[in-house]
Amino acid sequence: DTEVTQTPKHLVMGMTNKKSLKCEQHMGHRAMYWYKQKAKKPPELMFVYSYEKLSINESVPSRFSPECPNSSLLNLHLHALQPEDSALYLCASSPGLAASYEQYFGPGTRLTVT
Amino acid sequence: GENVEQHPSTLSVQEGDSAVIKCTYSDSASNYFPWYKQELGKRPQLIIDIRSNVGEKKDQRIAVTLNKTAKHFSLHITETQPEDSAVYFCAAIAYNNNDMRFGAGTRLTVKP
């Protein structure tokens, strides 16, 4: 299995809702990432997990809460989001440190906050 | 932190012509430079990468060059085809962290 999968593909949520995005990989990768991508912009790094420990948090608001339950799974819990949080949320994984290895991206979850 | 600049923002070429996209970076510690292609509604996909101990790398119609002294790297696509139409992102990352920074992207259109 050489893919990163993400669910759901699309999500519409209100500003008071709580929802979660899920990412999964079975390539034995030990680093996993969350990126946010607005239309016509590059991906922006949000969080990095290395060996299931949070290693980078790019000053992301606390309404985004990541979780890495095991080496194959990465979640992003969403609560009290704002309309400006609407974007494509991409998950990626790499065998180890990103400086040494290719990052494999999932297809993304397109999030709309109403 | 790292800052990556990418030019041009849009590029239109005729099928069969060559396309060149240029990027500059600011952090001298950066040592890995991947290029991603992203088609509309799809995920970014790595098309080629280069490490700082190499000046040039080629894979069929795609090549990347790196000038460490000037802190710039370029993507070259020869014999372009309509299916090369997409947004291309350069990126840079330092050897000691996981924080990959992307350029703003280049929208390449190959006209048949």
Side-chain angles (χ1 to χ4, degrees):
Chain A
D1 187 350
T2 57
E3 270 206 332
V4 176
T5 59
Q6 289 185 245
T7 54
K9 289 185 179 178
H10 300 276
L11 178 62
V12 179
M13 60 186 289
M15 288 189 283
T16 58
N17 292 158
K18 282 186 182 181
K19 296 284 184 184
S20 296
L21 309 185
K22 181 179 172 181
C23 173
E24 196 164 359
Q25 57 87 15
H26 295 287
M27 296 178 278
H29 289 178
R30 302 314 301 266
M32 295 185 77
Y33 313 79
W34 279 116
Y35 288 88
K36 173 182 178 180
Q37 187 176 26
K38 302 281 275 184
K40 299 185 180 181
K41 296 290 186 183
E44 292 179 17
L45 185 67
M46 300 174 72
F47 302 105
V48 180
Y49 273 83
S50 180
Y51 290 83
E52 296 149 59
K53 291 193 186 324
L54 183 64
S55 68
I56 292 180
N57 175 342
E58 290 283 1
S59 302
V60 179
S62 60
R63 56 186 185 269
F64 295 91
S65 174
E67 179 197 18
C68 189
N70 60 56
S71 59
S72 300
L73 277 175
L74 186 65
N75 298 321
L76 186 63
H77 303 297
L78 314 172
H79 173 55
L81 295 192
Q82 304 296 309
E84 59 265 28
D85 296 322
S86 298
L88 179 68
Y89 287 84
L90 292 161
C91 173
S93 71
S94 64
L97 273 178
S100 303
Y101 300 100
E102 173 185 352
Q103 287 190 31
Y104 293 77
F105 283 86
T109 292
R110 189 160 298 281
L111 173 68
T112 303
V113 182
T114 61
Chain B
E2 177 63 273
N3 181 45
V4 179
E5 294 194 358
Q6 182 172 346
H7 300 280
S9 56
T10 61
L11 180 59
S12 182
V13 300
Q14 207 65 39
E15 182 178 0
D17 287 350
S18 294
V20 180
I21 302 171
K22 299 183 178 182
C23 289
T24 60
Y25 62 98
S26 60
D27 188 352
S28 56
S30 289
N31 69 333
Y32 175 58
F33 308 91
W35 285 88
Y36 285 87
K37 175 183 179 182
Q38 188 174 28
E39 297 177 65
L40 192 62
K42 301 276 184 72
R43 72 188 81 189
Q45 291 201 295
L46 182 78
I47 55 170
I48 196 166
D49 56 13
I50 192 165
R51 299 182 194 282
S52 59
N53 58 347
V54 175
E56 184 174 357
K57 184 176 177 181
K58 190 173 180 182
D59 182 5
Q60 300 185 333
R61 297 185 297 110
I62 295 173
V64 58
T65 58
L66 170 66
N67 183 326
K68 279 187 64 180
T69 304
K71 294 199 186 75
H72 67 70
F73 56 114
S74 301
L75 177 72
H76 304 254
I77 306 174
T78 58
E79 299 170 30
T80 53
Q81 302 165 2
E83 50 266 38
D84 293 329
S85 296
V87 178
Y88 291 80
F89 293 104
C90 62
I93 186 165
Y95 70 94
N96 58 352
N97 69 55
N98 277 318
D99 192 352
M100 185 160 70
R101 297 295 172 128
F102 287 83
T106 297
R107 180 171 298 280
L108 173 65
T109 303
V110 180
K111 294 179 284 188

